[in-house]
């Protein structure tokens, strides 16, 4: 594999992770009151992901033979961009909305039971 192939894989990973991060940045606006801003930010993310798709399909590289290497680059780039964008913590993009009372507390408890029904007793302790 030539050095330019590594550059192509890294650029593809950067485009894919960036497109996802841009869309995630638009979700709180979309679910909140600024739907127009959210739609614009999400559309920008879709454009970046579209550029990623064109870039990967036009690249002089057979991605099916280098998929494992691409996944490794994707994971590294994802950690770097995630660390920069979210300051190292994994987040739900709409968490801030829930923290401000948009989602009642009893729905959060019900979600916990749905995720771990075998530990429903523990969820009762949250009340």
């Amino acid at each position: 594999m030539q050095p330019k192939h590594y550059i192509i894989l890294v650029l593809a990973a950067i485009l894919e992770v960036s497109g996802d991060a841009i869309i995630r940045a638009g979700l709180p606006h979309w679910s909140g009151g600024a739907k127009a801003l959210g739609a614009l930010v999400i559309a920008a993310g879709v454009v970046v992901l579209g550029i990623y798709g064109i870039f990967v399909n036009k690249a002089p590289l057979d991605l099916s033979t280098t998929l494992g290497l691409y996944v490794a680059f994707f994971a590294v780039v994802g950690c770097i961009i995630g660390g920069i964008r979210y300051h190292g913590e994994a987040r739900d993009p709409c968490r801030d909305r829930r923290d401000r009372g948009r989602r009642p507390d009893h729905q959060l408890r019900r979600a916990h039971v749905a995720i771990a029904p075998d530990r429903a007793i523990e969820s009762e302790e949250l009340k």
Side-chain angles (χ1 to χ4, degrees), residues 56-105:
V56 166
N57 287 303
K58 293 292 185 180
L61 180 65
D62 185 15
L63 195 60
S64 65
T65 60
T66 58
L67 186 60
L69 189 57
Y70 174 72
V71 170
F73 283 131
F74 179 84
V76 170
V77 170
C79 289
I80 291 169
I81 291 179
I84 293 168
R85 171 70 174 94
Y86 301 109
H87 307 291
E89 64 180 71
R91 297 184 42 181
D92 177 358
C94 299
R95 187 186 94 198
D96 296 335
R97 301 277 178 215
R98 281 199 303 268
D99 288 348
R100 282 189 251 151
R102 296 257 181 193
R103 190 171 190 188
D105 191 39

Side-chain angles (χ1 to χ4, degrees), residues 112-125:
H112 178 72
V113 173
I115 292 170
D118 57 322
R119 299 190 67 176
I121 294 172
E122 181 182 317
S123 68
E124 294 297 322
E125 296 170 1

Side-chain angles (χ1 to χ4, degrees), residues 7-32:
I7 294 169
I8 290 171
L9 291 175
V10 170
L11 289 175
I14 290 170
L15 285 170
E16 187 175 1
V17 172
S18 297
D20 179 58
I22 292 168
I23 290 173
R24 288 177 62 92
L27 289 176
H29 299 290
W30 178 260
S31 64

